[in-house]
Amino acid sequence: MTSSPVWRRPTLGAVAARAGVSTATVSNALNGTGRLSDATRQRVLAAARELGHAQASTARAVARGGTGVLGLTMATYGDLPVPYTEIPYYAQLTLSAMAAAHERGYLLTVMPSSLSPLMWLNTPMDGVIHVDPRADDPVRTLLRERNIPIVCDGRPPQPHWHDTWIDTDYEAGLHLLLDHLAEAGARRIALCLPVHDDAYPNLIAHAYRSWCDRHHLPALVEEYDPLPDYFTAEQDAVGRLLKDDPRPDAVIGVYSDSGHNILTAAHHHRLRIPQDLLVACLSEDPDYATTTPPVTTLSLRPDRVATQAVDLLISLLNTHTTMTRRRLVQPTLIPRQSTQHPTRHKNTTPRPHAPTTHQPEHDPAQRTPTHQTTQRPETGGR
């Protein structure tokens, strides 16, 4: 009788040979240290995954007194039970963070939005990715009491020099979208903005106003409170904008359901899209490809944010040397019919230095938006 071969954990040298790099580069890639290009880091991680080396990461964490577990918080609305997995941005963020953590040999625990302080103080974790830190943030305070390393997804409203965060480059994204609307002929572009105690609305507003100032166009901002009835609040805010004289020729929303809400308000005011009004929003919702008309979206790339957040957190756990504590992810513009102004002439001169955008996707059979069919609390959410 022959015995089965004993599995042995692949060495750093084996991973290095597979990836075509040095063992030092492999160590840096797995531990989130060093200055590596994203392509090199991904090549090393792929080689480690193929050989089964990533399983060693948890063992190393436990050996130095850790747990091998990372946490991901969802606490934007405090104790309000928001089903984040039903909001496309957070669903993509969670799945991508989980995949990135598993690839590096860590477990990832997604923390509910309404855990008691006792559970926050006792759940075993080596480090935490804290989503959308707030101005008055009890979760962040509790994690700091435990001296747990934190990487924020989103800039803290009042950042300190020692804060570590990953975020989308809102200024680049908003300017990309606003340039696109201006190319379509829009000159009175309005922004519908929620009032909330995280940094997101303020960063969006700053990017929008700076673009308007640069192009000598009016800044038309209408604010609303997303709680307790988000859908009605945003639709009413859009309605107030559309009653202006002269009214806006384009409206931007910044939450996942904003496009549906703007379409509903425009229909109520008997406005045609895009003939009378251009519509766009910041969203990951694939349903916008099949609304009537399909709605232009700016993707904040939560998949890239999550991967970078995991990488940054592991770097924080494995090094005490100088590291880049703040990273920005570039957004992607997806133009669709809602911003294709039918009156625009083909010989219109484009704005100089217009950024490259994502090519419009083929839209399948269109359907009328039904923004209130989703079973989620009436709150916002990217």
Side-chain angles (χ1 to χ4, degrees), residues 156-309:
Q158 298 174 334
H160 300 287
W161 67 268
H162 53 76
D163 285 334
T164 305
W165 49 257
I166 177 81
D167 208 356
T168 303
D169 190 339
Y170 298 119
E171 183 156 359
L174 258 291
H175 289 194
L176 186 65
L177 175 55
L178 289 161
D179 283 343
H180 170 73
L181 293 170
E183 286 247 339
R187 293 297 179 268
R188 290 182 58 80
I189 305 171
L191 177 67
C192 208
L193 198 67
V195 177
H196 200 266
D197 66 342
D198 59 13
Y200 178 63
N202 291 331
L203 293 170
I204 294 292
H206 175 76
Y208 168 78
R209 293 183 187 280
S210 69
W211 185 91
C212 291
D213 289 343
R214 182 185 306 172
H215 294 278
H216 307 290
L217 293 175
L220 311 173
V221 179
E222 186 66 38
E223 294 184 333
Y224 64 93
D225 186 348
L227 298 174
D229 183 353
Y230 157 61
F231 294 106
T232 300
E234 185 169 40
Q235 289 172 30
D236 288 346
V238 176
R240 293 192 295 273
L241 284 169
L242 298 181
K243 290 178 182 178
D244 286 347
D245 187 16
R247 62 172 171 76
D249 50 20
V251 177
I252 299 173
V254 303
Y255 274 162
S256 184
D257 285 300
S258 292
H260 299 303
N261 290 335
I262 298 170
L263 290 180
T264 298
H267 177 74
H268 178 75
H269 285 263
R270 301 183 183 278
L271 297 176
R272 299 167 300 165
I273 310 297
Q275 292 90 335
D276 302 322
L277 184 72
L278 305 184
V279 174
C281 66
L282 281 60
S283 179
E284 315 306 318
D285 191 345
D287 285 351
Y288 286 120
T290 57
T291 54
T292 304
V295 173
T296 290
T297 57
L298 181 72
S299 169
L300 302 180
R301 299 310 305 262
D303 54 333
R304 294 181 184 174
V305 170
T307 301
Q308 290 286 325

Side-chain angles (χ1 to χ4, degrees), residues 2 61-62 66 69 76 141 170 173 185 194 216-217 226 295 333 345 352 368 370-371:
T2 58
V62 173
V69 178
T76 304
T141 301
Y170 298 119
H216 307 290
L217 293 175
V295 173
L333 179 65
H345 299 293
T368 301
T370 53
H371 68 281

Side-chain angles (χ1 to χ4, degrees), residues 30-33 57 60-62 64 66-71 101 104 106-107 125-129 147-151 164 309-321 323 325:
L30 294 177
N31 293 321
T33 55
S57 298
R60 287 198 301 272
V62 173
R64 64 172 181 264
T67 64
V69 178
L70 307 179
R104 306 290 282 274
Y106 283 84
L107 303 179
M125 294 176 290
D126 291 344
V128 168
I129 299 169
N147 199 29
I148 290 181
I150 303 172
V151 169
T164 305
V310 169
D311 184 74
L312 196 54
L313 182 57
I314 292 175
S315 297
L316 200 60
L317 295 175
N318 285 290
T319 183
H320 297 288
T321 59
M323 57 176 284
R325 288 181 170 268

